[in-house]
Amino acid sequence: MEDRVLFTLNHILQKKKRKITLESRLREDLFVDSVDMSMIIGDLEDEFEITITDDEFADVVTVNDIVEKLKARGLSDY
C-alpha cells in the first residue's frame, strides 16, 4: 500500500521535484496546497476505488498518515 500511495503522490507532485518518503510532511516538506490535496484525494479515490471526504484527511500531516488512514478503513495491497 505504501508504494501505491507514494506513486500517487509522485504523480501529482512531479513538478515540485521533491523526494517523497513516508516521513515527508505534506505542507512543510512537499509544499502541498489545497489544490494539490484535492488532486491527491481524487487520485487515491481512483486508485483504491473508495470515496474520501476532505474532512477525513483534514488532520493528515505526513505521507504515512495517509497510509494509516487507508489502513484504518480496512484497505490493503491486493
Side-chain angles (χ1 to χ4, degrees):
M1 172 178 298
E2 290 87 352
D3 290 340
R4 292 168 70 186
V5 171
L6 289 169
F7 177 82
T8 298
L9 288 167
N10 275 306
H11 172 74
I12 298 295
L13 303 174
Q14 63 189 340
K15 290 187 171 104
K16 294 191 180 192
K17 298 188 192 287
R18 299 278 178 192
K19 179 170 174 44
I20 300 173
T21 67
L22 292 174
E23 294 79 27
S24 297
R25 296 170 298 171
L26 297 172
R27 299 203 191 292
E28 293 86 353
D29 300 329
L30 303 177
F31 305 108
V32 169
D33 59 22
S34 59
V35 173
D36 293 329
M37 196 63 189
S38 293
M39 292 172 62
I40 290 167
I41 288 172
D43 272 20
L44 290 171
E45 288 176 326
D46 292 344
E47 177 69 23
F48 292 98
E49 298 178 0
I50 59 172
T51 300
I52 302 168
T53 65
D54 291 338
D55 291 341
E56 287 178 272
F57 275 43
D59 61 345
V60 167
V61 176
T62 67
V63 174
N64 195 60
D65 291 343
I66 294 173
V67 172
E68 293 303 317
K69 291 265 187 189
L70 296 173
K71 285 182 179 178
R73 294 182 86 176
L75 298 172
S76 62
D77 278 335
Y78 50 85

